[in-house]
Amino acid sequence: MNGEAPPRDEMLRALEAVLFVAAEPVSSTVLAQLLETDRGAVEASLARLAEDYERAGSGLVLRNVAGGWRLFSHPSASPVVERFILSSRHTRLTKAALETMAIVAYKQPVTRHQVAAIRGVNSDGVLSALVDRGLLEEVGRDEGPGRPLLFGTTPEFLERLGLASIGDLPSLAPLLEEPERDDASDVSEEIPIEPESDDGA
Amino acid sequence: MNGEAPPRDEMLRALEAVLFVAAEPVSSTVLAQLLETDRGAVEASLARLAEDYERAGSGLVLRNVAGGWRLFSHPSASPVVERFILSSRHTRLTKAALETMAIVAYKQPVTRHQVAAIRGVNSDGVLSALVDRGLLEEVGRDEGPGRPLLFGTTPEFLERLGLASIGDLPSLAPLLEEPERDDASDVSEEIPIEPESDDGA
Amino acid sequence: MSAMKEEGLSSRVGEFPVELPVFNGPFRLLAELLLDRTIDVCDVSVARVTERFLEHAEEAEGWSLEEATWFLAICAVLLEMKVGRLLPRPPRGEEEDLLGGSPDVAYARSLELAAFRRVGQWLREALADGARYHGREAGPAEEFAHLYPDLMERVTPEALAEAAAALLRPPPTLDLSHVAPIRVSVADALETVVAQLSQGRKKTARFRELVSDCREPIHVVVRFLALLELYKDGRVGLKQAKNFGEIEVKWKG
């Protein structure tokens, strides 16, 4: 609020223009190539742009999601924006869907069977519904017998959550509190507590 | 250039957000309705926004075109924007565009609403983009209430696909069968009908 | 679920006999065979087994809490296995997992699942928050449209057909052939009852008479529902002098 930011230079302007026309997140590597500069310079400009928006009380926000940068309308404007596009993405997900999504997010790639084993119930319907919604996708096949399909999260999943990468999910460890009993403290060590997805989504 | 503009208020922010997501020019009348205010207030805000952009050296421009207001990328950024578009040439048509085109191709003539109903999401932006690209076009109006526009494919669409006529598209019928599930087909063989029981489960 | 493995259970529990096309013998043994998957759960009518259990309880003049609890637990597992078979399912082996394996593994799983539930709550909030951000889908203005000559480069008619089919495909149908259907309908029963009442000279009948040709309880139930329908429409009058007494039905047309 104090002291006006200097006018954006040519590079910043080009950056903003490209982000405006892009229909998906653009990585800083791609932006650097486009602007014939290095990633460091791009990232500094991106930070400056985000700050400018905030300072000016802009209707736009710049976010780092799903491995790239993308402009979004400001969340405080969402009621008006939704009225304008006559659709809302506020989808109510069932508890089963959230549970399934959580398991896939942390354990990916997983088979239907693994999801069902953790949830204790058949989860095929929920899985396909989440695939239909573009939140999960088939990412390959397991090598095991029957070569079952493997599921993982989509870039859209990350985008909808506002996460830059799957590693930004909250750690499971603090959530692995014991339910009522306290006689099995050694068991929790056997449970993988970090997302097992270093190999990417 | 001298003296910072005060931060944009809630209305200006909403205005900017709506113009940002819009795929076409939006009239000040529509904007006034959306924001529940009068056209005068909207026009003052639009002027202020255009001025803000100019002063900040923004990569965006607000222009009054063809009966409405629309955001554009700044002309000085055109070379970079063009490079960006060309560099993403190898990326496929988005899933949304492919789906929309597929529905229009097979179900034509269709209304926006029918496309949205089949895809399960608002598809207006994608539809207009495909019309802009000359792949789809308005082919008439439905007789129903509101006489909505009907969309169909263009000769260019056929040409790009190497089809002589729309009848040369592959038949959908064989594809509409259930995707095979490894264990669904044999279930009925494994599980005999219980002949003498009226209350099987 | 592991109740039957417990030592403390008296050996008499579950010893009542069941006669089924696939099995003849004590239920306890049947349950073991089912859980071991030696006998297919879908070959067994749980309802029939329950009938036998109720008969058995009556014969024994009273319920043993221990046995009733055990029986309920077993039936719950059988039904869960059966439902698992009815609905589209993951590859074989799931039933074993449903039974939990060792208690340690089961406990570890419950901890893990609890954590996933908690993180599911977080996901809900993050998604709700994320839904308020709208990205721009409109792309560049028309002036750039000429730069997209290859938009259709990789699009084949086949890809288009596959995309259309995926959206237009009807949802998979469930194979319900092994759920025994109820073959009587209230509509049919209505016809029968109206015919009987309106054609007789007396225009009255006892409920007992109206169901005299019914061989199974479900048919009696459906006749009764049909009468209630007629009563609601004012086409019959119903009179019952005392609880559990005869129901007099009078045709009003």
Side-chain angles (χ1 to χ4, degrees):
Chain A
M1 265 293 269
N2 25 17
E4 181 159 9
R8 299 177 197 154
D9 60 16
E10 204 55 40
M11 179 167 112
L12 200 42
R13 197 183 302 189
L15 198 66
E16 193 179 11
V18 166
L19 291 169
F20 171 75
V21 300
E24 52 191 24
V26 189
S27 73
S28 50
T29 316
V30 168
L31 290 169
Q33 277 167 6
L34 278 172
L35 299 167
E36 291 164 343
T37 179
D38 57 290
R39 276 183 54 193
V42 165
E43 272 159 17
S45 297
L46 288 164
R48 155 83 199 275
L49 192 60
E51 201 188 300
D52 272 14
Y53 283 158
E54 214 177 311
R55 183 191 349 223
S58 169
L60 312 185
V61 214
L62 179 60
R63 305 173 94 201
N64 180 10
V65 289
W69 295 83
R70 188 171 181 192
L71 291 179
F72 292 91
S73 63
H74 196 284
S76 77
S78 71
V80 182
V81 169
E82 279 161 20
R83 221 175 319 148
F84 175 67
I85 60 180
L86 297 177
S87 84
S88 154
R89 291 188 302 149
H90 292 271
T91 42
R92 290 231 130 242
L93 287 174
T94 61
K95 225 180 113 227
L98 291 165
E99 214 170 278
T100 303
M101 205 154 66
I103 293 168
V104 175
Y106 283 87
K107 292 252 170 192
Q108 59 188 315
V110 281
T111 63
R112 287 171 207 279
H113 176 67
Q114 289 166 323
V115 175
I118 294 171
R119 293 193 56 225
V121 290
N122 181 312
S123 307
D124 292 5
V126 191
L127 264 174
S128 5
L130 289 168
V131 169
D132 286 349
R133 288 191 170 192
L135 292 166
L136 303 183
E137 64 187 346
E138 296 163 2
V139 294
R141 284 189 179 271
D142 192 48
E143 291 304 317
R147 309 206 63 234
L149 281 169
L150 290 166
F151 293 85
T153 53
T154 60
E156 191 184 336
F157 168 86
L158 293 175
E159 207 176 313
R160 301 267 298 259
L161 286 171
L163 298 178
S165 80
I166 202 73
D168 290 347
L169 281 172
S171 164
L172 265 197
L175 299 171
L176 279 169
E177 292 154 23
E178 314 266 313
E180 292 83 274
R181 271 161 55 181
D182 54 2
D183 54 343
S185 47
D186 50 335
V187 172
S188 56
E189 280 160 30
E190 295 167 12
I191 304 169
I193 48 177
E194 292 302 325
E196 293 180 334
S197 54
D198 307 288
D199 42 344
Chain B
M1 273 293 277
N2 25 16
E4 180 161 10
R8 296 171 202 160
D9 61 15
E10 203 58 38
M11 181 171 110
L12 197 45
R13 198 185 302 193
L15 196 69
E16 192 181 11
V18 166
L19 291 168
F20 168 75
V21 299
E24 282 160 14
V26 192
S27 72
S28 50
T29 317
V30 169
L31 289 169
Q33 276 168 4
L34 273 173
L35 298 167
E36 290 162 346
T37 180
D38 58 289
R39 276 184 53 193
V42 164
E43 273 161 14
S45 294
L46 287 164
R48 152 86 200 271
L49 193 60
E51 199 189 302
D52 270 15
Y53 281 161
E54 214 178 312
R55 183 194 348 223
S58 168
L60 311 184
V61 227
L62 178 60
R63 284 201 231 139
N64 184 3
V65 287
W69 294 84
R70 183 170 173 184
L71 289 180
F72 292 89
S73 59
H74 196 286
S76 80
S78 285
V80 182
V81 169
E82 281 171 20
R83 220 161 359 169
F84 172 67
I85 294 169
L86 288 172
S87 76
S88 47
R89 161 159 46 159
H90 56 274
T91 63
R92 301 236 196 122
L93 205 57
T94 62
K95 192 165 161 263
L98 183 70
E99 283 181 6
T100 304
M101 205 153 66
I103 293 165
V104 174
Y106 280 91
K107 290 260 164 190
Q108 58 188 315
V110 282
T111 63
R112 281 174 209 280
H113 181 71
Q114 287 166 327
V115 175
I118 294 172
R119 289 195 57 227
V121 290
N122 179 311
S123 309
D124 293 3
V126 191
L127 260 176
S128 359
L130 289 169
V131 170
D132 287 347
R133 306 275 138 78
L135 294 164
L136 303 182
E137 64 187 347
E138 296 162 4
V139 293
R141 284 187 178 275
D142 191 51
E143 290 305 317
R147 309 205 61 236
L149 280 169
L150 289 165
F151 293 86
T153 53
T154 60
E156 189 186 338
F157 168 87
L158 292 175
E159 201 180 305
R160 294 305 320 253
L161 283 175
L163 299 176
S165 82
I166 201 72
D168 292 346
L169 277 173
S171 162
L172 271 196
L175 298 170
L176 287 177
E177 280 154 31
E178 278 183 51
E180 93 262 22
R181 221 184 356 245
D182 31 335
D183 52 354
S185 51
D186 57 11
V187 164
S188 50
E189 283 158 34
E190 278 177 31
I191 307 172
I193 300 164
E194 291 159 15
E196 73 284 67
S197 150
D198 267 334
D199 39 13
Chain C
M1 295 192 189
S2 54
M4 57 181 304
K5 290 177 191 145
E6 279 168 27
E7 305 294 314
L9 218 53
S10 98
S11 58
R12 279 180 47 250
V13 163
E15 288 300 334
F16 64 90
V18 288
E19 307 86 30
L20 295 165
V22 290
F23 176 86
N24 224 326
F27 178 66
R28 188 191 184 90
L29 178 58
L30 173 64
E32 271 168 36
L33 292 172
L34 285 170
L35 296 183
D36 288 349
R37 296 165 46 103
T38 313
I39 292 183
D40 189 329
V41 67
C42 289
D43 286 344
V44 172
S45 160
V46 177
R48 179 138 309 200
V49 168
T50 307
E51 259 170 39
R52 277 298 301 130
F53 173 72
L54 292 175
E55 281 168 31
H56 157 74
E58 231 160 70
E59 284 160 19
E61 288 180 8
W63 295 66
S64 137
L65 179 61
E66 185 186 27
E67 184 164 38
T69 311
W70 174 83
F71 182 78
L72 278 178
I74 293 295
C75 282
V77 174
L78 294 184
L79 285 173
E80 188 171 12
M81 287 167 70
K82 213 163 174 176
V83 165
R85 295 289 301 272
L86 274 164
L87 300 174
R89 65 197 171 115
R92 280 136 233 257
E94 192 201 3
E95 283 90 350
E96 279 151 23
D97 283 305
L98 285 175
L99 297 177
S102 81
D104 283 352
V105 172
Y107 180 64
R109 277 211 182 126
S110 75
L111 272 185
E112 200 184 21
L113 181 57
F116 283 129
R117 291 206 167 124
R118 291 188 187 112
V119 95
Q121 197 51 42
W122 179 86
L123 284 177
R124 183 200 296 277
E125 283 153 24
L127 281 172
D129 188 48
R132 296 162 62 221
Y133 291 84
H134 293 270
R136 192 167 177 277
E137 310 282 347
E142 294 78 22
E143 58 181 299
F144 297 105
H146 68 279
L147 296 172
Y148 278 97
D150 293 296
L151 186 71
M152 300 282 286
E153 191 176 41
R154 304 205 175 186
V155 179
T156 60
E158 288 70 31
L160 214 55
E162 193 34 66
L167 290 164
L168 300 170
R169 199 151 28 214
T173 46
L174 281 184
D175 179 4
L176 295 176
S177 57
H178 44 290
V179 179
I182 293 174
R183 291 184 195 80
V184 289
S185 73
V186 175
D188 291 343
L190 264 175
E191 238 169 68
T192 315
V193 170
V194 169
Q196 278 192 42
L197 281 171
S198 60
Q199 280 158 23
R201 262 170 294 141
K202 298 189 298 177
K203 307 284 186 203
T204 63
R206 293 177 166 178
F207 182 65
R208 185 200 298 276
E209 293 159 8
L210 289 176
V211 299
S212 58
D213 61 325
C214 292
R215 274 166 311 157
E216 289 177 60
I218 186 69
H219 292 125
V220 178
V221 172
V222 170
R223 288 280 160 91
F224 185 69
L225 290 175
L227 272 182
L228 287 183
E229 276 300 304
L230 290 171
Y231 179 74
K232 214 168 63 189
D233 290 347
R235 298 173 68 193
V236 299
L238 296 176
K239 220 180 346 177
Q240 188 177 26
K242 59 175 198 238
N243 275 355
F244 304 112
E246 291 282 359
I247 301 173
E248 302 283 349
V249 183
K250 186 168 171 49
W251 178 246
K252 293 174 158 179

